[in-house]
mmCIF file of all heavy atoms in Angstrom:
data_model
loop_
_atom_site.group_PDB
_atom_site.id
_atom_site.type_symbol
_atom_site.label_atom_id
_atom_site.label_comp_id
_atom_site.label_asym_id
_atom_site.label_seq_id
_atom_site.Cartn_x
_atom_site.Cartn_y
_atom_site.Cartn_z
ATOM 1 N N VAL A 202 -11.781 38.480 -105.237
ATOM 2 C CA VAL A 202 -12.996 38.987 -105.887
ATOM 3 C C VAL A 202 -12.599 39.742 -107.157
ATOM 4 O O VAL A 202 -11.426 40.057 -107.359
ATOM 5 C CB VAL A 202 -13.799 39.949 -104.949
ATOM 6 C CG1 VAL A 202 -14.436 39.192 -103.802
ATOM 7 C CG2 VAL A 202 -12.933 41.085 -104.439
ATOM 8 N N ASP A 203 -13.603 40.072 -107.980
ATOM 9 C CA ASP A 203 -13.343 40.749 -109.255
ATOM 10 C C ASP A 203 -13.089 42.240 -108.993
ATOM 11 O O ASP A 203 -14.019 43.059 -109.036
ATOM 12 C CB ASP A 203 -14.557 40.548 -110.172
ATOM 13 C CG ASP A 203 -14.337 41.181 -111.530
ATOM 14 O OD1 ASP A 203 -13.183 41.549 -111.839
ATOM 15 O OD2 ASP A 203 -15.330 41.319 -112.272
ATOM 16 N N THR A 204 -11.850 42.582 -108.666
ATOM 17 C CA THR A 204 -11.490 43.974 -108.404
ATOM 18 C C THR A 204 -10.056 44.192 -108.859
ATOM 19 O O THR A 204 -9.419 43.288 -109.385
ATOM 20 C CB THR A 204 -11.669 44.322 -106.907
ATOM 21 O OG1 THR A 204 -11.546 45.722 -106.738
ATOM 22 C CG2 THR A 204 -10.650 43.612 -106.018
ATOM 23 N N SER A 205 -9.554 45.413 -108.668
ATOM 24 C CA SER A 205 -8.169 45.691 -109.066
ATOM 25 C C SER A 205 -7.584 46.749 -108.134
ATOM 26 O O SER A 205 -8.323 47.540 -107.531
ATOM 27 C CB SER A 205 -8.126 46.215 -110.501
ATOM 28 O OG SER A 205 -8.777 47.477 -110.546
ATOM 29 N N TRP A 208 -8.742 50.202 -109.261
ATOM 30 C CA TRP A 208 -10.114 50.583 -108.866
ATOM 31 C C TRP A 208 -10.120 51.020 -107.393
ATOM 32 O O TRP A 208 -10.659 52.066 -107.045
ATOM 33 C CB TRP A 208 -11.098 49.416 -109.071
ATOM 34 C CG TRP A 208 -12.553 49.845 -108.973
ATOM 35 C CD1 TRP A 208 -13.372 50.148 -110.014
ATOM 36 C CD2 TRP A 208 -13.328 50.028 -107.780
ATOM 37 N NE1 TRP A 208 -14.619 50.520 -109.543
ATOM 38 C CE2 TRP A 208 -14.617 50.459 -108.173
ATOM 39 C CE3 TRP A 208 -13.075 49.900 -106.412
ATOM 40 C CZ2 TRP A 208 -15.645 50.736 -107.267
ATOM 41 C CZ3 TRP A 208 -14.090 50.187 -105.503
ATOM 42 C CH2 TRP A 208 -15.353 50.599 -105.930
ATOM 43 N N ILE A 209 -9.509 50.189 -106.557
ATOM 44 C CA ILE A 209 -9.583 50.460 -105.111
ATOM 45 C C ILE A 209 -8.860 51.767 -104.774
ATOM 46 O O ILE A 209 -9.368 52.612 -104.035
ATOM 47 C CB ILE A 209 -9.002 49.275 -104.293
ATOM 48 C CG1 ILE A 209 -9.775 47.998 -104.590
ATOM 49 C CG2 ILE A 209 -9.056 49.584 -102.792
ATOM 50 C CD1 ILE A 209 -9.151 46.724 -104.018
ATOM 51 N N ARG A 212 -10.796 54.922 -106.224
ATOM 52 C CA ARG A 212 -12.099 55.206 -105.598
ATOM 53 C C ARG A 212 -12.006 55.474 -104.102
ATOM 54 O O ARG A 212 -12.882 56.119 -103.543
ATOM 55 C CB ARG A 212 -13.064 54.022 -105.771
ATOM 56 C CG ARG A 212 -13.314 53.619 -107.186
ATOM 57 C CD ARG A 212 -14.354 54.500 -107.840
ATOM 58 N NE ARG A 212 -14.523 54.115 -109.228
ATOM 59 C CZ ARG A 212 -15.692 53.921 -109.815
ATOM 60 N NH1 ARG A 212 -16.801 54.096 -109.136
ATOM 61 N NH2 ARG A 212 -15.745 53.577 -111.073
ATOM 62 N N THR A 213 -10.961 54.893 -103.442
ATOM 63 C CA THR A 213 -10.959 54.977 -101.973
ATOM 64 C C THR A 213 -9.663 55.523 -101.371
ATOM 65 O O THR A 213 -9.669 56.001 -100.243
ATOM 66 C CB THR A 213 -11.178 53.579 -101.342
ATOM 67 O OG1 THR A 213 -10.003 52.783 -101.583
ATOM 68 C CG2 THR A 213 -12.377 52.874 -101.923
ATOM 69 N N ALA A 286 -20.950 52.784 -84.265
ATOM 70 C CA ALA A 286 -20.183 52.474 -85.478
ATOM 71 C C ALA A 286 -18.957 53.393 -85.593
ATOM 72 O O ALA A 286 -18.217 53.551 -84.627
ATOM 73 C CB ALA A 286 -21.082 52.532 -86.704
ATOM 74 N N CYS A 287 -18.791 54.015 -86.749
ATOM 75 C CA CYS A 287 -17.559 54.768 -86.987
ATOM 76 C C CYS A 287 -17.518 56.103 -86.252
ATOM 77 O O CYS A 287 -16.482 56.771 -86.256
ATOM 78 C CB CYS A 287 -17.380 54.990 -88.482
ATOM 79 S SG CYS A 287 -17.494 53.459 -89.391
ATOM 80 N N LEU A 317 -13.731 44.409 -88.150
ATOM 81 C CA LEU A 317 -14.821 44.247 -89.123
ATOM 82 C C LEU A 317 -14.579 43.073 -90.065
ATOM 83 O O LEU A 317 -15.489 42.648 -90.770
ATOM 84 C CB LEU A 317 -15.020 45.541 -89.925
ATOM 85 C CG LEU A 317 -15.581 46.739 -89.144
ATOM 86 C CD1 LEU A 317 -15.974 47.860 -90.101
ATOM 87 C CD2 LEU A 317 -16.773 46.371 -88.287
ATOM 88 N N ARG A 326 -17.424 42.377 -103.399
ATOM 89 C CA ARG A 326 -16.347 43.335 -103.722
ATOM 90 C C ARG A 326 -16.717 44.770 -103.351
ATOM 91 O O ARG A 326 -15.848 45.618 -103.182
ATOM 92 C CB ARG A 326 -16.002 43.261 -105.211
ATOM 93 C CG ARG A 326 -17.105 43.772 -106.128
ATOM 94 C CD ARG A 326 -16.672 43.761 -107.568
ATOM 95 N NE ARG A 326 -17.714 44.280 -108.432
ATOM 96 C CZ ARG A 326 -17.576 44.491 -109.728
ATOM 97 N NH1 ARG A 326 -16.427 44.195 -110.315
ATOM 98 N NH2 ARG A 326 -18.559 44.987 -110.435
ATOM 99 N N GLY A 327 -18.023 45.034 -103.233
ATOM 100 C CA GLY A 327 -18.466 46.391 -102.903
ATOM 101 C C GLY A 327 -18.106 46.805 -101.484
ATOM 102 O O GLY A 327 -18.014 48.001 -101.177
ATOM 103 N N THR A 328 -17.911 45.836 -100.587
ATOM 104 C CA THR A 328 -17.562 46.187 -99.201
ATOM 105 C C THR A 328 -16.215 45.613 -98.742
ATOM 106 O O THR A 328 -15.512 46.255 -97.962
ATOM 107 C CB THR A 328 -18.646 45.700 -98.204
ATOM 108 O OG1 THR A 328 -18.885 44.298 -98.443
ATOM 109 C CG2 THR A 328 -19.937 46.480 -98.359
ATOM 110 N N VAL A 330 -13.332 45.378 -99.862
ATOM 111 C CA VAL A 330 -12.076 46.096 -100.132
ATOM 112 C C VAL A 330 -11.890 47.298 -99.201
ATOM 113 O O VAL A 330 -10.824 47.912 -99.179
ATOM 114 C CB VAL A 330 -12.015 46.576 -101.600
ATOM 115 C CG1 VAL A 330 -12.128 45.395 -102.551
ATOM 116 C CG2 VAL A 330 -13.106 47.603 -101.905
ATOM 117 N N LEU A 331 -12.940 47.644 -98.451
ATOM 118 C CA LEU A 331 -12.920 48.928 -97.732
ATOM 119 C C LEU A 331 -12.363 48.849 -96.308
ATOM 120 O O LEU A 331 -11.823 49.831 -95.803
ATOM 121 C CB LEU A 331 -14.346 49.498 -97.638
ATOM 122 C CG LEU A 331 -15.072 49.741 -98.965
ATOM 123 C CD1 LEU A 331 -16.502 50.191 -98.689
ATOM 124 C CD2 LEU A 331 -14.331 50.779 -99.790
ATOM 125 N N PHE A 332 -12.543 47.706 -95.662
ATOM 126 C CA PHE A 332 -12.343 47.698 -94.210
ATOM 127 C C PHE A 332 -11.049 47.028 -93.770
ATOM 128 O O PHE A 332 -10.475 46.224 -94.488
ATOM 129 C CB PHE A 332 -13.541 47.006 -93.541
ATOM 130 C CG PHE A 332 -14.840 47.705 -93.831
ATOM 131 C CD1 PHE A 332 -15.757 47.163 -94.724
ATOM 132 C CD2 PHE A 332 -15.130 48.918 -93.238
ATOM 133 C CE1 PHE A 332 -16.948 47.818 -95.004
ATOM 134 C CE2 PHE A 332 -16.318 49.581 -93.510
ATOM 135 C CZ PHE A 332 -17.234 49.033 -94.397
ATOM 136 N N LEU A 363 -26.525 51.643 -94.016
ATOM 137 C CA LEU A 363 -25.256 51.070 -93.561
ATOM 138 C C LEU A 363 -25.578 50.201 -92.353
ATOM 139 O O LEU A 363 -25.831 50.709 -91.266
ATOM 140 C CB LEU A 363 -24.308 52.218 -93.168
ATOM 141 C CG LEU A 363 -22.909 51.882 -92.723
ATOM 142 C CD1 LEU A 363 -22.186 51.044 -93.760
ATOM 143 C CD2 LEU A 363 -22.137 53.160 -92.466
ATOM 144 N N MET A 386 -23.967 47.970 -97.266
ATOM 145 C CA MET A 386 -23.752 49.411 -97.405
ATOM 146 C C MET A 386 -24.258 49.907 -98.745
ATOM 147 O O MET A 386 -23.972 49.321 -99.791
ATOM 148 C CB MET A 386 -22.253 49.695 -97.304
ATOM 149 C CG MET A 386 -21.908 51.153 -97.330
ATOM 150 S SD MET A 386 -20.136 51.387 -97.234
ATOM 151 C CE MET A 386 -19.676 50.851 -98.856
ATOM 152 N N GLY A 388 -23.188 52.519 -100.727
ATOM 153 C CA GLY A 388 -21.991 53.370 -100.719
ATOM 154 C C GLY A 388 -22.264 54.811 -101.116
ATOM 155 O O GLY A 388 -21.763 55.744 -100.484
ATOM 156 N N GLN A 389 -23.078 54.983 -102.138
ATOM 157 C CA GLN A 389 -23.298 56.360 -102.618
ATOM 158 C C GLN A 389 -24.104 57.177 -101.617
ATOM 159 O O GLN A 389 -23.851 58.367 -101.430
ATOM 160 C CB GLN A 389 -23.977 56.319 -103.982
ATOM 161 C CG GLN A 389 -23.015 55.756 -105.010
ATOM 162 C CD GLN A 389 -23.517 55.872 -106.436
ATOM 163 O OE1 GLN A 389 -24.567 56.426 -106.679
ATOM 164 N NE2 GLN A 389 -22.756 55.339 -107.355
ATOM 165 N N VAL A 391 -24.073 56.703 -98.348
ATOM 166 C CA VAL A 391 -23.164 57.000 -97.232
ATOM 167 C C VAL A 391 -22.239 58.151 -97.627
ATOM 168 O O VAL A 391 -21.974 59.066 -96.835
ATOM 169 C CB VAL A 391 -22.334 55.753 -96.841
ATOM 170 C CG1 VAL A 391 -21.329 56.099 -95.748
ATOM 171 C CG2 VAL A 391 -23.238 54.630 -96.366
ATOM 172 N N PHE A 392 -21.775 58.114 -98.854
ATOM 173 C CA PHE A 392 -20.882 59.170 -99.354
ATOM 174 C C PHE A 392 -21.571 60.544 -99.260
ATOM 175 O O PHE A 392 -21.015 61.511 -98.730
ATOM 176 C CB PHE A 392 -20.497 58.862 -100.812
ATOM 177 C CG PHE A 392 -19.271 59.591 -101.280
ATOM 178 C CD1 PHE A 392 -18.048 58.952 -101.333
ATOM 179 C CD2 PHE A 392 -19.333 60.918 -101.655
ATOM 180 C CE1 PHE A 392 -16.903 59.618 -101.752
ATOM 181 C CE2 PHE A 392 -18.206 61.599 -102.079
ATOM 182 C CZ PHE A 392 -16.986 60.936 -102.132
ATOM 183 N N ALA A 395 -21.977 61.660 -95.684
ATOM 184 C CA ALA A 395 -20.719 62.056 -95.037
ATOM 185 C C ALA A 395 -20.266 63.446 -95.483
ATOM 186 O O ALA A 395 -19.891 64.275 -94.649
ATOM 187 C CB ALA A 395 -19.632 61.025 -95.343
ATOM 188 N N HIS A 423 -12.604 60.730 -89.593
ATOM 189 C CA HIS A 423 -12.798 59.292 -89.816
ATOM 190 C C HIS A 423 -12.275 58.920 -91.207
ATOM 191 O O HIS A 423 -12.588 59.587 -92.200
ATOM 192 C CB HIS A 423 -14.283 58.960 -89.697
ATOM 193 C CG HIS A 423 -14.617 57.565 -90.097
ATOM 194 N ND1 HIS A 423 -13.885 56.479 -89.673
ATOM 195 C CD2 HIS A 423 -15.605 57.068 -90.899
ATOM 196 C CE1 HIS A 423 -14.394 55.377 -90.192
ATOM 197 N NE2 HIS A 423 -15.434 55.710 -90.937
ATOM 198 N N ALA A 425 -12.626 56.859 -94.049
ATOM 199 C CA ALA A 425 -13.484 55.918 -94.791
ATOM 200 C C ALA A 425 -13.141 55.942 -96.270
ATOM 201 O O ALA A 425 -13.282 54.930 -96.953
ATOM 202 C CB ALA A 425 -14.948 56.261 -94.591
ATOM 203 N N ASN A 426 -12.694 57.108 -96.741
ATOM 204 C CA ASN A 426 -12.437 57.264 -98.166
ATOM 205 C C ASN A 426 -11.697 58.591 -98.337
ATOM 206 O O ASN A 426 -12.150 59.617 -97.821
ATOM 207 C CB ASN A 426 -13.794 57.309 -98.898
ATOM 208 C CG ASN A 426 -13.630 57.321 -100.397
ATOM 209 O OD1 ASN A 426 -12.774 58.026 -100.930
ATOM 210 N ND2 ASN A 426 -14.447 56.551 -101.081
ATOM 211 N N ARG A 428 -11.550 60.472 -100.746
ATOM 212 C CA ARG A 428 -12.353 61.475 -101.470
ATOM 213 C C ARG A 428 -13.313 62.188 -100.520
ATOM 214 O O ARG A 428 -13.631 63.357 -100.723
ATOM 215 C CB ARG A 428 -13.140 60.796 -102.606
ATOM 216 C CG ARG A 428 -12.239 60.295 -103.729
ATOM 217 C CD ARG A 428 -13.056 59.817 -104.911
ATOM 218 N NE ARG A 428 -13.793 58.614 -104.607
ATOM 219 C CZ ARG A 428 -15.009 58.331 -105.066
ATOM 220 N NH1 ARG A 428 -15.649 59.170 -105.837
ATOM 221 N NH2 ARG A 428 -15.603 57.203 -104.757
ATOM 222 N N ILE A 429 -13.757 61.482 -99.473
ATOM 223 C CA ILE A 429 -14.610 62.146 -98.473
ATOM 224 C C ILE A 429 -13.774 63.187 -97.723
ATOM 225 O O ILE A 429 -14.206 64.327 -97.521
ATOM 226 C CB ILE A 429 -15.237 61.115 -97.496
ATOM 227 C CG1 ILE A 429 -16.223 60.217 -98.247
ATOM 228 C CG2 ILE A 429 -15.922 61.821 -96.317
ATOM 229 C CD1 ILE A 429 -16.861 59.107 -97.420
ATOM 230 N N ASN A 453 -10.499 51.331 -93.734
ATOM 231 C CA ASN A 453 -11.460 51.872 -92.767
ATOM 232 C C ASN A 453 -11.557 50.914 -91.578
ATOM 233 O O ASN A 453 -12.130 49.832 -91.698
ATOM 234 C CB ASN A 453 -12.813 52.020 -93.474
ATOM 235 C CG ASN A 453 -13.913 52.511 -92.554
ATOM 236 O OD1 ASN A 453 -13.733 52.594 -91.345
ATOM 237 N ND2 ASN A 453 -15.057 52.830 -93.127
ATOM 238 N N SER A 455 -13.200 51.552 -88.920
ATOM 239 C CA SER A 455 -14.433 51.920 -88.214
ATOM 240 C C SER A 455 -14.134 52.803 -86.992
ATOM 241 O O SER A 455 -13.485 53.832 -87.131
ATOM 242 C CB SER A 455 -15.213 50.648 -87.856
ATOM 243 O OG SER A 455 -16.483 50.972 -87.369
ATOM 244 N N PHE A 483 -18.241 59.761 -88.613
ATOM 245 C CA PHE A 483 -19.589 59.526 -89.121
ATOM 246 C C PHE A 483 -19.716 58.035 -89.387
ATOM 247 O O PHE A 483 -18.705 57.373 -89.649
ATOM 248 C CB PHE A 483 -19.828 60.295 -90.438
ATOM 249 C CG PHE A 483 -18.910 59.852 -91.547
ATOM 250 C CD1 PHE A 483 -19.289 58.845 -92.428
ATOM 251 C CD2 PHE A 483 -17.654 60.406 -91.678
ATOM 252 C CE1 PHE A 483 -18.431 58.412 -93.434
ATOM 253 C CE2 PHE A 483 -16.783 59.976 -92.680
ATOM 254 C CZ PHE A 483 -17.180 58.981 -93.559
ATOM 255 N N GLY A 484 -20.925 57.532 -89.310
ATOM 256 C CA GLY A 484 -21.055 56.109 -89.595
ATOM 257 C C GLY A 484 -22.448 55.578 -89.378
ATOM 258 O O GLY A 484 -23.422 56.336 -89.332
ATOM 259 N N GLY A 485 -22.494 54.255 -89.184
ATOM 260 C CA GLY A 485 -23.769 53.558 -89.075
ATOM 261 C C GLY A 485 -24.615 54.113 -87.949
ATOM 262 O O GLY A 485 -24.122 54.591 -86.931
HETATM 263 N N1 ACO B 782 -13.815 46.627 -107.656
HETATM 264 C C1 ACO B 782 -14.249 46.870 -108.904
HETATM 265 N N2 ACO B 782 -15.465 47.331 -109.170
HETATM 266 C C2 ACO B 782 -16.294 47.556 -108.145
HETATM 267 C C3 ACO B 782 -15.905 47.346 -106.806
HETATM 268 C C4 ACO B 782 -14.611 46.865 -106.588
HETATM 269 N N3 ACO B 782 -14.137 46.614 -105.359
HETATM 270 N N4 ACO B 782 -16.920 47.680 -106.001
HETATM 271 C C5 ACO B 782 -17.930 48.109 -106.790
HETATM 272 N N5 ACO B 782 -17.538 48.032 -108.074
HETATM 273 C C6 ACO B 782 -18.292 48.370 -109.263
HETATM 274 C C7 ACO B 782 -19.774 48.341 -109.052
HETATM 275 O O1 ACO B 782 -20.272 47.028 -109.212
HETATM 276 C C8 ACO B 782 -20.260 49.270 -110.127
HETATM 277 O O2 ACO B 782 -20.269 48.571 -111.331
HETATM 278 P P1 ACO B 782 -21.442 48.816 -112.417
HETATM 279 O O3 ACO B 782 -21.284 50.271 -112.813
HETATM 280 O O4 ACO B 782 -21.106 47.861 -113.475
HETATM 281 O O5 ACO B 782 -22.717 48.545 -111.697
HETATM 282 C C9 ACO B 782 -19.152 50.309 -110.224
HETATM 283 O O6 ACO B 782 -18.002 49.723 -109.603
HETATM 284 C C10 ACO B 782 -19.465 51.602 -109.525
HETATM 285 O O7 ACO B 782 -19.974 51.300 -108.244
HETATM 286 P P2 ACO B 782 -20.362 52.422 -107.256
HETATM 287 O O8 ACO B 782 -20.882 51.831 -106.001
HETATM 288 O O9 ACO B 782 -21.237 53.405 -107.978
HETATM 289 O O10 ACO B 782 -18.952 53.096 -107.011
HETATM 290 P P3 ACO B 782 -18.628 54.439 -106.288
HETATM 291 O O11 ACO B 782 -17.904 55.334 -107.186
HETATM 292 O O12 ACO B 782 -19.805 54.975 -105.534
HETATM 293 O O13 ACO B 782 -17.564 53.950 -105.208
HETATM 294 C C11 ACO B 782 -17.481 53.449 -102.880
HETATM 295 C C12 ACO B 782 -17.943 52.997 -104.257
HETATM 296 C C13 ACO B 782 -15.965 53.504 -102.875
HETATM 297 C C14 ACO B 782 -17.935 52.435 -101.850
HETATM 298 C C15 ACO B 782 -18.053 54.851 -102.590
HETATM 299 O O14 ACO B 782 -19.432 54.879 -102.822
HETATM 300 C C16 ACO B 782 -17.796 55.268 -101.185
HETATM 301 O O15 ACO B 782 -16.681 55.464 -100.775
HETATM 302 N N6 ACO B 782 -18.864 55.480 -100.422
HETATM 303 C C17 ACO B 782 -18.724 55.845 -99.039
HETATM 304 C C18 ACO B 782 -18.600 54.585 -98.341
HETATM 305 C C19 ACO B 782 -18.061 54.765 -96.992
HETATM 306 O O16 ACO B 782 -17.672 55.806 -96.553
HETATM 307 N N7 ACO B 782 -18.077 53.631 -96.341
HETATM 308 C C20 ACO B 782 -17.670 53.598 -95.054
HETATM 309 C C21 ACO B 782 -18.855 53.295 -94.302
HETATM 310 S S1 ACO B 782 -19.071 54.388 -92.981
HETATM 311 C C22 ACO B 782 -18.282 53.580 -91.918
HETATM 312 O O17 ACO B 782 -17.173 53.885 -91.796
HETATM 313 C C23 ACO B 782 -18.877 52.327 -91.329
#
Side-chain angles (χ1 to χ4, degrees):
V202 290
D203 182 13
T204 190
S205 66
W208 193 97
I209 301 170
R212 303 278 177 132
T213 70
C287 308
L317 291 191
R326 68 176 181 174
T328 52
V330 301
L331 302 175
F332 300 106
L363 183 55
M386 184 181 72
Q389 292 189 3
V391 176
F392 199 101
H423 172 46
N426 186 317
R428 291 188 292 144
I429 293 177
N453 177 351
S455 189
F483 62 92

